[in-house]
Amino acid sequence: MTRALILGGTSDASQLAAEIAHASMDAVYSYGGRTRAPADQPLPTRVGGFGGVCGLADYIRREGITRVIDATHPFAAEMSRNAVAACAETGTPLIALERTPWAKTPGDNWIEVGDVDAAVAALPESPANVFLAIGRQHIAPFGNKPQHAYTLRFVDPPEAPLPFPADVIVSRGPFTLDGELEMLRTRGVIWIVARNSGGDGARAKIDAARTLGLPVIMIARPELPERQRVESVAEIMQWLGHRTCLGA
């Protein structure tokens, strides 16, 4: 019998959970615990870390997990690396549901960088209004350029003081092009810093930047160990032995 573990936290993972529940397959959905009020799922759900590679391997054995699906955010590199190692240790098949990265198109003004520190360096020295669309775990290095007026957007209100003054928006996507255009214009944003997350849910800010002719400092995805990967829920369902993606 198949018993799957979904490493989730993305809209893709939620769509997968709905399909698996609709197919009456045995699975557990795991949240990393960074969001205080995660969206409800139609599957048994756990919240919190596993305790590294050893903790995840122990969970796989203890819970009788036979398949692992990494549907985490493309920048959740530590969890993805732990999944590769734990599945190798336990001999458990692993597959990644990975969004296609955004590709630069005519009209885009991107400065492509390899990491957050390079993104900080790419910002101008003169003060500017900057939208940091990178998640709260990665903002601290931008304190090295305190001359800028930063706008941040989080799913949850920050619990601890921020490393620099900022305009904080609390909102959960997906976001629309019209909404992103209004947000950028209202706050006078002239620079955007984004991670190349891919997918449709967070793309509107990239489309809005193109519409307004704004530069985007685009942070490349982290390198991950080799693993099987697909780009659609239908392919995951086939991998799990379910012939068709029925639509939940």
Side-chain angles (χ1 to χ4, degrees):
M1 294 292 292
T2 297
R3 178 169 167 78
L5 171 63
I6 302 172
L7 304 175
T10 62
S11 58
D12 300 320
S14 295
Q15 182 186 352
L16 174 62
E19 294 288 356
I20 286 177
H22 187 75
S24 300
M25 301 179 75
D26 188 9
V28 178
Y29 189 105
S30 177
Y31 277 109
R34 295 190 183 278
T35 301
R36 294 202 297 274
D40 291 336
Q41 299 297 335
L43 295 172
T45 302
R46 66 173 302 281
V47 179
F50 291 95
V53 174
C54 291
L56 178 54
D58 287 345
Y59 181 89
I60 289 170
R61 296 187 186 102
R62 184 174 66 253
E63 297 296 324
I65 300 298
T66 63
R67 302 277 183 118
V68 176
I69 302 128
D70 181 1
T72 58
H73 192 278
F75 282 78
E78 183 178 5
M79 185 70 256
S80 293
R81 293 182 184 118
N82 288 350
V84 171
C87 287
E89 180 179 325
T90 58
T92 307
L94 167 70
I95 196 169
L97 177 56
E98 187 176 292
R99 310 168 187 170
T100 303
W102 295 318
K104 189 175 182 180
T105 62
D108 284 324
N109 180 11
W110 289 7
I111 300 170
E112 298 179 81
V113 298
D115 55 30
V116 170
D117 290 337
V120 175
L123 282 174
E125 294 301 325
S126 56
N129 291 350
V130 180
F131 176 37
L132 296 183
I134 59 173
R136 62 186 174 185
Q137 292 81 33
H138 307 286
I139 64 172
F142 290 90
N144 293 324
K145 286 195 172 176
Q147 68 269 35
H148 299 309
Y150 292 107
T151 295
L152 311 176
R153 184 163 60 197
F154 302 144
V155 173
D156 300 310
E159 292 182 316
L162 299 173
F164 46 78
D167 175 16
V168 177
I169 302 169
V170 178
S171 183
R172 187 192 298 267
F175 302 100
T176 66
L177 175 59
D178 287 344
E180 296 294 69
L181 286 170
E182 180 181 3
M183 183 272 292
L184 295 174
R185 286 170 173 150
T186 300
R187 289 166 171 79
V189 169
I190 59 174
W191 283 83
I192 297 173
V193 181
R195 300 177 295 178
N196 197 333
S197 302
D200 296 327
R203 185 184 177 85
K205 62 179 175 286
I206 308 303
D207 296 334
R210 184 188 313 112
T211 300
L212 298 175
L214 301 181
V216 176
I217 299 174
M218 185 66 74
I219 303 172
R221 293 182 179 184
E223 292 188 10
L224 295 173
E226 188 66 28
R227 59 195 176 149
Q228 184 179 359
R229 56 172 295 278
V230 295
E231 297 180 358
S232 72
V233 169
E235 290 171 289
I236 295 290
M237 296 300 289
Q238 291 169 1
W239 182 77
L240 290 171
H242 191 67
R243 292 189 174 220
T244 57
C245 192
L246 299 176

